[in-house]
Structure formats: structure tokens, C-alpha cells
Amino acid sequence: MSLQETLSNYVKQAVKTNFSIALENVEFQATRKEFAGDITVVIFPMLRFVKGNPVQIGETIGNYLVENVAEVKAFNVVKGFLNIEIDDSYYINFFNSIKDNNNFGFVSQKAKDKSIMVEYSSPNTNKPLHLGHVRNNLLGFSVSEILKASGKKVYKTQIINDRGIHICKSMLAWERFGNGETPESTGLKGDKLVGNYYVKFDQEYKKEIQDLISKGSSEEDAKKNAPLLIEAQNMLLNWEAGDDETVALWKKMNGWVYDGFAETYKNLGVDFDTLYYESNTYLLGKEFVAEGLKSGVFQKEEDGSVWCDLTEDGLDKKIVQRADGTAVYMTQDIGTAIQRIKDFPDVGGMVYTVGNEQDYHFQVLFLILKKLGFDWAKNLYHLSYGMVDLPSGKMKSREGTVVDADDLIEDMAATAEEISEELGKLDGYSKEEKKELYKTIGLGALKYYILKVDPKKRILFDPKESIDFQGNTGPFIQYTYARIQSILRKADLNTSSNVKELHPKEKELIKQVQLFPEVVQNAADNHSPALIANYTYDLVKEFNSFYQNVSILGADNASEKAFRVQLSQVVANTIKNSFGLLGIQVPERM
């Protein structure tokens, strides 16, 4: 039982004994820095049930706790706040119980619980991954790791958007203007090569539009009738008809892109357990349209199109099948969700990591799946996130103005090198060690800068600011971890400790460590890596305050020294574990 649960029970007993009132809930908060105490009971909510002066009520409860709870050392009351001081022995006992547990804060997987499938990345195969994909991947991967740490079994997946008119645009441009170029002949990653032809299509398409306008067409007609677009549309029809030549070209160019993606994922440090391809799923869902028509969930219009009327639910009418019988994206998503449950029967919920421009789409999708009678639909979650902007403005793929993910990773390492060299922190490192460290610092800076922000918020990403070695940044936390490793290398880790009293800084640090399991659970419940990131920053700030105020290796006696070394080791392990949940590595030296 946690300290808060223990105190809650005794506070209720105190109220029952002294005021003859059965209290349902007790409200706690952290004690404010200016007052003595470790945890505070808020008296004000009790006044609805317990009549009297809040200070006197607090005094009565405080005296009861001191008399009846071994862990309670003293108390003070400030207005309607009962500040409780906890005896050092409680924190020492807690510390001794977790100091050898390298997985403190993580919950073992519960066999009876249903698994969760987390979808992220889900790129189009007509261009490389860019900065927007980076936020998507980092969020999806981190949420997967956090859910695992909270005791869930997780499947990481993506649906690769490998078909459609946008894919045909790249294919057509390569066929028309590529002169047989390949990744091998150009030295380009396959996704970059294909992406270049997506940009090329847009350039040539715009030329054709201008040409048609100059010959008297309206802009709208010119956009519809440009020969390149018509040819791309025909190519899509050929692909859907299974034309051998078109399918062979599609397989070849997609293969180039998959190889490129794999390299980017490896550099970014993310992975997947299973993959879905739109080319295999785009026909799914139509059978459930027929079932929905039978059950009355869907209605057929006079033109033959099928709709779902969600107006009574505060939404609008949504088409799920066109008049010609073809599927829309909603149909595919319905079918793909159902297929995933068929493929993985132990899955009881799904998380979709998709930008906030799709908020309405997922509202509708989840509601339709519930109406179709799928029990697991109540456990669907849209991990909605805001855009990532740059000081230079918005990115546009078709115009070639995106921030390429690979280039960004390289630039972050280069920025880390530049700043590290300026600070002169890496004397005695080999060239290879430096290169690896720059990558670790650069990636850590990128990931932390993005993940420390609540997913729903938009981000203005500043690479230089993210690699600051001071403040709420990845490198600052990595540097603190490396500092602790330096201390541990100089210490004897096998000496035992039997301290009976704590320095106030030791106590505050243990209290911060103690919060980690609760933070992990909260981050899992809220699908928010930001809670982990900002907890880690608070832990590091607390350690640095401890480090500056308390001598570790120069402690007064061997027992005290051993305790402080062990405490430093626990903090380092907690930093490493929490950063692991964010997909960030910590260097042993910096």
C-alpha cells in the first residue's frame, strides 16, 4: 500500500472518530516549498461534511495521525492545509526496497489483459520521411514503450500507403523523365529518388496547366485536363486492373522506397512488429457495408451510394460506399481495423497516431465501429498531434520544400558536434567515439525537444535551441547521467550503508524517484510521453541540487558515502529507464 493510501485510510478514521462522519475521499497535494512537510491534506473539500474551523479540523486530524501512524513524524496547519512530515525511516526503507531493482517503475505484463495495437508512421511510398513523420514516429514508438512499461502487451504496426494517384504520379514521372535511373546508379536512397520524381511530376504538371490556360482554358479545366494527370489516372486504373507492366513498375519503385524507409527507421531508432499495406487492404470493409445495411446502421441513397447518418450523435452524414460500388477511405479503415482483430485475436484496443487534421475522421470511424457492434471499438484512441513548424515556414512535399528526416538527423549530429567542440567537453575521445556520441546527443536533443511537448500542441522546432546543454533539453539530462556515471566509476559500489537520518536534499531526491511508477501509469493512461520527459527533467534538477549541496564521495563516513553513491546510482538508472521510454540513449561519458 502506498503512503498516500495509508494516510487516506487514517484520515478517514480520524474524521470518523472525532466528527462521526464517513468521509469518502481525501484530497492530497505536494507540500509547498515554503512550508515544512512532505505531503499535504487539503481540508477545504471536507467542510461540506465536517462543520467547523478548517484550522481546528486540521489540528485534530494531525494529532490523530501523529499518535496512530508510525510514518508520521510531525505536522503543521496553514489555513486549510494540513502539512504532514514523514519520518526519514519511511524513505530509507523505501529506498532499500528498490535500490537493487533495475526495472523499478515498470509493471510486469499482465497475462489476463488484452493487448494493444499502436499504429504510427504510415507513410506514402512517393517520398521520403520528413519532419512531420519524425514527430509521428517518435510519439507512436514512445507511447508503445510506455504502454509496455505499464504492463500491457503491445503490437507496433503501420499501414503503408502504397497505392493511389499520388503513387502513380511518381511512377509516371520516373517512366517519362527518369532515363532508367536507379538508387544504385545515382547513389541516392530509394525513397529520395522516388520523391524527386514526385516533385518532378508537380513541376511538369504546372507547366501543362499554364500551357492550357495560355490556349484559352479556364484554370479549373486546365487542372482537370492536363495530359500528365489524365495519364496518371489511367495508370491507376491499369494498376487496379492488374496490368503486368504497371504492377511490375509499382513493385520496383516501392521496393526502392521500402529500402530507404528501413534505413531511416534504423537511424531514428524505431521499429515495428507487423506491417499492413494499403494495396492489400483497400478492398476491405465492403462486406461490412452490406452487413451495416442489413442492420440499419447504413442507408442506401437513390443513386446507390451508402451513408451512415450520425446527426443524432452530433456529427454529420458520412459516405461509406460510392454509387459505383467503390470504397472510400472510411470503408478501408473500417475493414482494416476489423482485419487486425482477426489477425491478432488478443488485441482489445488500438491507438492511431495521426495528425490532428484527421480528428473528425477518427471520431466518425470509432463511432461507426461501435454502431456495427464491435465491443473493442470502445478501446480505440486517436493519438492526435499538432504540426511541426520551422522558423522558415510550412513544408510542402510536392514542391520539394520539406525537411527530410535523414537530413535532419545528420544536421542534429553536426549541430551537436559544433556545440560540443565549442564547449571543449570531449578531450581524450577517439574520432569514432566522438562521431557516435554526436549522433547520440543530436538524436537525444531532437527526440526530447519533440516529446517534451504535449502531443496536441503545435511545435516550432529550433535545432540549435534543442541542443543547449542547459535547461529543459535532452543534452542537459544526458550530461547529468554521464556525470553520475563518472561518480560511480570512482566509487566502491559494494559498500553497505546503514544511515538512520537523511539530509533534506537526499529526502527530496528519494521523493522524486518514488514518483516514477505513478508517472509511468499516468503517461500510459494519457498516451503522453511529455509526462515522462518533464518528470525526468524534474528528477535531474533535483539531483543537481543534491549534487551541489551534498558531498557524495567526500561524505563524513563510509556509510553515508555508500548511501549517496547508491542513491546516485538509482537516479541514473531511473534517468536511463525513463529516457528509454522516449527512445533516447544515454551516454556513459560526455
Side-chain angles (χ1 to χ4, degrees), residues 82-256:
L82 168 60
N83 304 315
I84 302 167
E85 290 185 60
I86 303 300
D87 193 78
D88 286 356
S89 61
Y90 167 78
Y91 292 106
I92 293 168
N93 290 338
F94 160 75
F95 177 76
N96 287 331
S97 73
I98 62 104
K99 68 182 181 183
D100 298 320
N101 179 4
N102 290 331
N103 292 314
F104 169 68
F106 295 174
V107 176
S108 298
Q109 189 181 310
K110 306 179 189 84
K112 67 180 190 306
D113 282 4
K114 284 280 194 178
S115 303
I116 297 176
M117 184 171 278
V118 181
E119 177 195 294
Y120 56 96
S121 197
S122 301
N124 296 322
T125 57
N126 63 333
K127 56 194 174 189
L129 302 177
H130 55 62
L131 179 55
H133 291 117
V134 169
R135 187 175 197 190
N136 182 302
N137 275 270
L138 298 184
L139 277 171
F141 179 83
S142 181
V143 165
S144 299
E145 295 303 305
I146 291 166
L147 287 168
K148 281 186 201 173
S150 75
K152 302 289 187 186
K153 182 178 180 182
V154 175
Y155 296 103
K156 293 178 277 190
T157 192
Q158 61 171 322
I159 182 159
I160 300 168
N161 302 302
D162 62 345
R163 65 168 289 280
I165 189 68
H166 47 294
I167 308 300
C168 291
K169 287 176 181 179
S170 295
M171 290 163 57
L172 180 60
W174 180 84
E175 196 175 52
R176 181 79 67 86
F177 309 109
N179 298 315
E181 279 189 346
T182 66
E184 291 75 24
S185 70
T186 60
L188 286 173
K189 279 176 78 230
D191 52 339
K192 292 195 193 315
L193 180 67
V194 172
N196 288 345
Y197 284 101
Y198 183 59
V199 173
K200 180 69 174 172
F201 178 93
D202 189 61
Q203 292 168 345
E204 297 299 325
Y205 173 54
K206 283 177 177 172
K207 287 180 188 174
E208 289 188 349
I209 291 170
Q210 290 307 313
D211 185 50
L212 289 171
I213 290 172
S214 70
K215 292 176 180 175
S217 292
S218 69
E219 184 176 353
E220 189 179 345
D221 285 343
K223 284 179 177 178
K224 288 180 187 172
N225 298 317
L228 260 182
L229 179 63
I230 292 168
E231 203 170 337
Q233 290 168 339
N234 287 334
M235 182 177 270
L236 178 59
L237 291 173
N238 288 338
W239 179 87
E240 290 180 349
D243 175 69
D244 290 343
E245 194 175 318
T246 306
V247 170
L249 175 62
W250 171 79
K251 285 181 177 177
K252 176 167 69 175
M253 293 184 70
N254 272 351
W256 295 343

Side-chain angles (χ1 to χ4, degrees), residues 58 71 126 164 181 285 303 355 447 543 549 570 587:
E71 292 88 350
N126 63 333
E181 279 189 346
D303 65 355
K447 292 180 178 185
F543 176 82
N549 288 278
V570 166

Side-chain angles (χ1 to χ4, degrees), residues 18 149 470 499:
N18 291 282
Q470 296 296 324
V499 296

Side-chain angles (χ1 to χ4, degrees), residues 147-424:
L147 287 168
K148 281 186 201 173
S150 75
K152 302 289 187 186
K153 182 178 180 182
V154 175
Y155 296 103
K156 293 178 277 190
T157 192
Q158 61 171 322
I159 182 159
I160 300 168
N161 302 302
D162 62 345
R163 65 168 289 280
I165 189 68
H166 47 294
I167 308 300
C168 291
K169 287 176 181 179
S170 295
M171 290 163 57
L172 180 60
W174 180 84
E175 196 175 52
R176 181 79 67 86
F177 309 109
N179 298 315
E181 279 189 346
T182 66
E184 291 75 24
S185 70
T186 60
L188 286 173
K189 279 176 78 230
D191 52 339
K192 292 195 193 315
L193 180 67
V194 172
N196 288 345
Y197 284 101
Y198 183 59
V199 173
K200 180 69 174 172
F201 178 93
D202 189 61
Q203 292 168 345
E204 297 299 325
Y205 173 54
K206 283 177 177 172
K207 287 180 188 174
E208 289 188 349
I209 291 170
Q210 290 307 313
D211 185 50
L212 289 171
I213 290 172
S214 70
K215 292 176 180 175
S217 292
S218 69
E219 184 176 353
E220 189 179 345
D221 285 343
K223 284 179 177 178
K224 288 180 187 172
N225 298 317
L228 260 182
L229 179 63
I230 292 168
E231 203 170 337
Q233 290 168 339
N234 287 334
M235 182 177 270
L236 178 59
L237 291 173
N238 288 338
W239 179 87
E240 290 180 349
D243 175 69
D244 290 343
E245 194 175 318
T246 306
V247 170
L249 175 62
W250 171 79
K251 285 181 177 177
K252 176 167 69 175
M253 293 184 70
N254 272 351
W256 295 343
V257 174
Y258 298 149
D259 290 344
F261 284 171
E263 191 177 326
T264 304
Y265 291 140
K266 184 180 177 184
N267 287 334
L268 199 54
V270 302
D271 58 8
F272 302 90
D273 300 308
T274 184
L275 304 176
Y276 286 85
Y277 297 87
E278 193 186 335
S279 54
N280 296 329
T281 65
Y282 80 105
L283 296 177
L284 292 177
K286 292 175 78 171
E287 62 183 286
F288 299 101
V289 171
E291 287 185 19
L293 278 168
K294 286 179 191 172
S295 64
V297 173
F298 302 142
Q299 298 83 38
K300 185 173 280 191
E301 298 293 317
E302 287 183 14
D303 65 355
S305 61
V306 180
W307 296 72
C308 186
D309 188 351
L310 303 172
T311 51
E312 287 187 8
D313 301 281
L315 305 177
D316 60 8
K317 290 178 70 176
K318 187 71 181 178
I319 188 168
V320 292
Q321 189 169 287
R322 297 187 187 96
D324 62 4
T326 56
V328 293
Y329 271 113
M330 184 59 69
T331 329
Q332 294 176 45
D333 284 351
I334 291 167
T336 303
I338 296 165
Q339 186 61 45
R340 286 171 173 171
I341 301 294
K342 288 179 181 176
D343 294 343
F344 297 90
D346 62 322
V347 167
M350 287 180 257
V351 176
Y352 293 82
T353 312
V354 182
N356 57 16
E357 69 276 5
Q358 294 293 326
D359 283 354
Y360 186 75
H361 175 85
F362 284 101
Q363 254 188 298
V364 172
L365 172 64
F366 298 168
L367 186 53
I368 289 176
L369 286 166
K370 283 177 188 172
K371 287 180 179 291
L372 287 171
F374 295 106
D375 186 54
W376 44 262
K378 67 179 182 289
N379 298 320
L380 300 178
Y381 182 82
H382 176 204
L383 178 50
S384 172
Y385 62 90
M387 287 185 65
V388 184
D389 297 313
L390 292 158
S392 56
K394 197 173 179 181
M395 302 182 293
K396 294 180 182 175
S397 300
R398 64 182 177 274
E399 294 176 10
T401 60
V402 299
V403 176
D404 182 277
D406 299 305
D407 294 342
L408 177 62
I409 293 168
E410 282 185 25
D411 289 348
M412 293 299 293
T415 305
E417 177 178 4
E418 179 188 325
I419 292 173
S420 298
E421 293 290 349
E422 283 174 12
L423 295 172

